[in-house]
Amino acid sequence: MTLKTEQLHALASTLDVATIDVATDALVSNQVDAARCVLACRDVIRAGASAMAKTLRNGGTLYYVAAGSSGLMVAADAMELGGTFGIPVAQIEILMAGGVPTTAHMPGDVEDEVDKLPVLLANVSDRDCLIAVTASGSTPYTLRAAELARAGGATVIGIANNSQALLFETSDHAIALDTPSEVLSGSTRMGAGTAQKIALNTLSTLMGVELGHVYQGLMVNLKADNLKLLARARGIVRQVTQVDEATAASALTRSGGDVKIACLLALGAQSPELARAALIRSQGHLGPAIARLHSHDTIPK
């Protein structure tokens, strides 16, 4: 049986002879249709996000594993977790077949090279979570990584664009993205990749919400390590607390750049230590810590 990701789309054979307007519409519409497929996976995505949050709370590691264009999707999501949510780099591992590319060349044969995986996953345990992504659902590198992680007790989140994917046999949370075949036949960097990116971004963002790193739609646990993010951090403190620029900047300095603590300081917390204690009691969630501050319950004056 031909995998859906390899099947010929009804418009594929006309792509090179259609007008540029028709070809453009076909390519864009196909990816929009692929994006809609993620909606059918909402429940399993929510469960997967909770598993990821649990891993980080327990000091475990998130392993992102894939090959080819799927590897680029996982690398993009994993590499944003530090800046967006302040996730320590030590708790994130990217296992991309052949390594994350440093040039425009991305070799294809490395997706069959599984020999190094036992070493790379030698320390995997039941505290960890592995996010495995493959459009076909049968990429040897990704399948072997999932098998090793499962054997080590880790939770496995499998993402594939074929409902009968072999990957799902070793997945605790199977995210089956039922995307249409590609207008450019077999080019899963397009519709399949679009759906993968949405699923990955949704997983990690829901994880951030569950960890308390999102407050009123703001990234309150971001790592401000450049001028743009420092300005964003000040803006977040101002928006949450309604203080002026100078007060926000002072609070961020006192907090060592920690946005949540800076918000509590700007709202009247006596010291960074007391603000941090309040956040520990609220399991990292800023809203409850602010509520207790206003009620004089958690952070003494």
Side-chain angles (χ1 to χ4, degrees):
M1 181 182 69
T2 303
L3 296 174
K4 192 171 183 180
T5 48
E6 301 296 329
Q7 290 176 359
L8 196 67
H9 191 280
L11 298 177
S13 61
T14 65
L15 190 62
D16 57 317
V17 294
T19 66
I20 191 66
D21 288 343
V22 170
T24 301
D25 288 348
L27 291 168
V28 173
S29 297
N30 185 247
Q31 293 187 79
V32 170
D33 290 341
R36 289 196 186 98
C37 294
V38 186
L39 286 169
C41 301
R42 286 171 292 188
D43 290 345
V44 68
I45 287 174
R46 282 194 292 267
S50 291
M52 292 167 68
K54 181 180 178 182
T55 286
L56 294 177
R57 279 197 210 98
N58 293 339
T61 299
L62 295 179
Y63 290 90
Y64 280 79
V65 182
S69 57
S70 295
L72 298 177
M73 295 298 105
V74 302
D77 194 70
M79 293 172 75
E80 291 282 358
L81 296 184
T84 305
F85 298 121
I87 307 302
V89 173
Q91 287 188 273
I92 307 166
E93 292 284 349
I94 302 171
L95 303 183
M96 182 174 175
V100 178
T102 57
T103 70
H105 175 63
M106 188 165 63
D109 56 347
V110 292
E111 71 176 39
D112 300 323
E113 296 177 1
V114 301
D115 294 345
K116 295 179 181 178
L117 284 171
V119 175
L120 295 172
L121 291 165
N123 297 320
V124 72
S125 74
D126 58 5
R127 293 197 307 169
D128 303 325
C129 181
L130 182 136
I131 302 98
V133 185
T134 161
S136 66
S138 57
T139 303
Y141 185 88
T142 310
L143 289 183
R144 182 60 178 147
E147 290 168 358
L148 289 167
R150 188 71 176 274
T155 299
V156 177
I157 300 171
I159 302 176
N161 300 80
N162 284 296
S163 58
Q164 303 302 313
L166 290 174
L167 175 63
F168 296 151
E169 295 180 7
T170 51
S171 297
D172 298 285
H173 305 284
I175 300 174
L177 302 171
D178 190 23
T179 49
S181 52
E182 306 288 354
V183 176
L184 182 59
S185 183
S187 184
T188 52
R189 70 185 178 89
M190 302 183 72
T194 296
Q196 289 172 5
K197 185 179 190 317
I198 294 172
L200 285 163
N201 290 169
T202 305
L203 277 166
S204 56
T205 303
L206 288 174
M207 175 196 75
V209 171
E210 189 161 332
L211 290 171
H213 298 338
V214 177
Y215 176 70
Q216 296 184 347
L218 301 170
M219 295 182 288
V220 292
N221 209 55
L222 66 80
K223 181 181 179 182
D225 57 3
N226 61 39
L227 292 175
K228 179 189 75 174
L229 291 178
L230 283 169
R232 180 176 294 168
R234 286 194 299 271
I236 290 171
V237 175
R238 292 190 66 187
Q239 188 165 340
V240 171
T241 65
Q242 299 299 301
V243 298
D244 59 27
E245 181 82 12
T247 302
S250 174
L252 275 168
T253 299
R254 290 176 65 200
S255 74
D258 188 303
V259 174
K260 294 181 191 177
I261 290 175
C263 288
L264 293 172
L265 291 172
L267 288 170
Q270 284 284 313
S271 70
E273 292 74 23
L274 290 170
R276 188 171 290 108
L279 285 168
I280 290 172
R281 283 192 279 275
S282 66
Q283 296 184 316
H285 290 261
L286 183 58
I290 290 174
R292 291 193 178 103
L293 173 61
H294 287 323
S295 69
H296 308 284
D297 178 48
T298 298
I299 309 177
K301 295 290 187 179

